[in-house]
Amino acid sequence: MSGYVSRYAPRPGTIEPMGEHGQTVFAEATEPVSIELRRIAQTFGQNRVLRGIDLDVPAGQFLAIVGKSGCGKSTLLRLLVGLDRPTSGSLRFADRSGDTVEANARIVFQEPRLLPWARVVDNVAVGLGQDVDENTARVKALMVLDDVQLSDKADQWPARLSGGQRQRVALARALVSRPGLLVFDEPLGALDALTRITMQQLVSRVWRELGFTAVLVTHDVSEAVHLADRVIVLDGGKVALDLEIPADHPRHHGDPDLAVFERRLLDAILGGH
Amino acid sequence: MTAYDVVTDRPSRRRSWVWPALSARHIRLKGLLPFVVPILLVLVWQVFSSAGWISTRVMPAPTDVAAAFIDQVLSGALFHNVAVSGARALAGLAVGGTIGLLLGIANGVSKLSEQLTDTSLQMLRTIPHLAMIPLVILWFGIGEESKLFLTSLGVLFPIYLNTFHGVRNVDRELIEMGRIYGMNGWTLFRKVILPGALPSIFVGLRYALGIMWLTLIVSESIAASSGIGHMANQAREFMMTDVVVLSLLIYAALGKLADVIARAMERHALSWNPVYQR
Ligand SMILES: Nc1ncnc2c1ncn2[C@@H]1O[C@H](COP(=O)(O)OP(=O)(O)OP(=O)(O)O)[C@@H](O)[C@H]1O
Ligand SMILES: [Mg+2]
């Protein structure tokens, strides 16, 4: 799927904790989109946050974006999902055959942003938009809830869930409409270390199963290296480093080969230019 | 207030440690505890009245009030007056509440509407609405319009203020989320803004209910020819203290009933809120 030839042999005998849930619930896979950014600049008053970003993301790639706090990662994501318009530059989405398309883009934020007054299944159904009839919406929502292993919480109020469970609901809500592009803004930043690892495996698994294009912003370099095909470092409003991570998915924590990439990324972020 | 609660909490805990047996029985009787003081008061009141220590012109005996209650029920006057007052209260709440709600929503959602009306409303709010009674009598006489006007006016502001506040304070991030998922206009309002503002609207409603009864009592005593307030006022002219006290009790009961209904509605509508989950 990633399109890279792996230099690493698959490791036999490793157990993926999500594996017992291996059967794919998703009948229809998504049509991933490729992204083409040209000279994207974003300015807030005197603050030139993005200063000419050129970036091509192939359809189905998992791209991670890292960088210092305030370097404009969220700003870039908001442009990708159409929440803001760039000051200048162009942005284009295309399908596999290269035709320009509307990206069915979804975003998962650090905070789950669930409606507290809607039950879990109804929160997921929000992801289907307004034109779907209630029964269909419920059936689809329940299917996706099953895939994030929250079927038993379908009729709970969000207030009754743990932080990790809420974030899984938010993920289900983003997935239910089969997005061509799924964008994450530090989605696991507020979770404890163990929940983070489970969530990373979940994100990786749904990406592999559904095949959408993924863009993940994270402040955790090891998370970026663990999940992504490619990591870019944003600095000074530009792409300071563009690094491919040619390892097979799923990947495993503590892999020494990945540690090399982590060190290079950390150097790029912290060590100046 | 909290500090006070903590202080009063301490002796009772110490007592239960000294007399553990008594505290166990306490727990079983706990449900009756709130009624002990009122029942004792009524008993003492009855004893004092029967012994002739309180003049019936000052305070009728509880048995006299009960007798007046039966009288009024049998003659049908009580039912008539309660119905009249209740209808006035509901009409005032409906009119004032609707106006307050709509203005609150409009001003919460639209900057233009807020700039247009908020300052005027805040100015009107500072006038005690009961001070307008003389003017209202000049305008409407003592007909139904005067009561409707005053209760509506009294109810309007708490509902307006709390609705406005509630709509304004709906989580911006939730609204943005709704927009991302294609909600706008009416859908966004129905699914995000209104439910988000509802807790605050209920605060306004319960506050408004208090003002509603207060306004009704005053305006019925001054300018009415029916209703509980009128009943009390007429009884005063004939020195029927039992009926006066009965009227007070009925107001208290109606006020309590309204609050119980409002609380039940609140619990039902806000059942998603952890505060209301048991
Ligand atoms: N709507 C806005 N109006 C004005 N300035 C903004 C706006 N959004 C972002 N900025 C500014 O743009 C800069 C980049 O913000 P952004 O949120 O993209 O950073 P970030 O890389 O996501 O940081 P973090 O890792 O802390 O989330 C900041 O200086 C911020 O103040
Ligand atoms: Mg950010």
Side-chain angles (χ1 to χ4, degrees), chain A residues 69-70 72-75 110 185-186 217:
Chain A
S69 180
K73 304 183 294 290
S74 299
T75 305
Q110 177 168 348
D185 196 351
E186 298 188 21
V217 160

Side-chain angles (χ1 to χ4, degrees), chain B residues 112-159:
Chain B
L112 177 72
S113 168
E114 185 202 345
Q115 282 172 342
L116 211 57
T117 59
D118 187 58
T119 311
S120 315
L121 284 167
Q122 298 290 350
M123 266 161 57
L124 279 179
R125 185 172 75 91
T126 58
I127 306 173
H129 66 296
L130 291 177
M132 294 184 65
I133 287 180
L135 195 57
V136 168
I137 292 179
L138 284 177
W139 287 347
F140 304 113
I142 62 167
E144 287 308 314
E145 298 92 334
S146 59
K147 267 86 67 184
L148 183 62
F149 182 85
L150 284 170
T151 29
S152 303
L153 199 63
V155 162
L156 194 157
F157 293 109
I159 302 242

Side-chain angles (χ1 to χ4, degrees), chain A residues 78 83 106-107 109 111 113-117 126-127 129-130 157 159-160 170 173-174, chain B residues 170 172-174 176-177 180-183 187 191-193 195-196 271-272 274 277-278:
Chain A
R78 294 176 66 85
L83 277 173
R106 293 287 183 242
I107 184 163
F109 295 98
E111 56 307 324
R113 302 198 187 185
L114 305 180
L115 298 174
W117 42 84
V126 163
Q130 310 311 314
W157 298 116
R160 286 289 177 89
R173 178 181 62 193
Chain B
V170 174
R172 296 287 113 188
E173 295 188 335
L174 280 186
E176 189 181 71
M177 184 281 298
I180 294 172
Y181 286 102
M183 294 183 199
T187 317
K191 292 200 168 170
V192 182
I193 296 175
S271 53
W272 52 269
Q277 288 169 0
R278 272 161 301 162

